[in-house]
Amino acid sequence: MGCAGFTCSKNSLCALNILYVMVSLLMIGIAAWGKCFGLVSSFQVVGGIIGVGVFLFFVALAGLIGAMKHHQVLLFFYMIILFLVFVVQFSVSSACLAINEEQQNHLLEVGWNNSLTTQRDVEKSLNCCGFSHMDINGSCAATCFHYSTCTTCAAKIQEHAGEVLRFVGGIGLFFSFTEILGLWLTYRYRNQKDPRANPSAFL
């Protein structure tokens, strides 16, 4: 029964980390695909997504190697990193779900004013000009600008911003609970003796 419990914990932990590896590779692939096809021209956005993907990949890889080899030190540091990731992710997810419309509009405007590249991306993809007002004498990446039929981008962004925040918050909370599961599995697995090893070699 001890062997079955050990094997079950090991397989569960490996499966969870394989899921994290797949998610990290998906994040890196989507960011690279968006950049290559010109969907996102901002290096900060692409770099940020790829950076998070690479970080998640290495954390998952450490957990996977630690689980396969029953490596005490690696599993210990994996638990610490996973707990820190959980705290940050849970906080951000809760903020996404709790934010009201006024705060949402303020954050959108701040993000809009901080990046000209993001402005061009949004104007081009949503076919709109300006955030809350359109400058006729200015420049705009949208095709509607040449025909003077554009609406402001704030209205179009706000249509979907609430849904996106709820979606991101929900996904974040879901993965937060998988991290709690990962912490419990790692703690349980780390304190189990490997039946195949010499009992006196267990620390």
Side-chain angles (χ1 to χ4, degrees), residues 60-88:
L61 195 64
L64 192 60
I65 294 171
M68 292 178 70
K69 294 183 176 293
H70 200 233
H71 196 288
Q72 296 289 306
V73 177
L74 207 54
L75 288 171
F76 175 75
F77 283 108
Y78 173 73
M79 285 175 62
I80 292 174
I81 295 170
L82 202 61
F83 176 73
L84 294 174
V85 170
F86 163 75
V87 170
V88 173

Side-chain angles (χ1 to χ4, degrees), residues 50-69:
I50 290 177
V52 171
V54 170
F55 174 76
L56 181 60
F57 176 80
F58 281 113
V59 170
L61 195 64
L64 192 60
I65 294 171
M68 292 178 70
K69 294 183 176 293

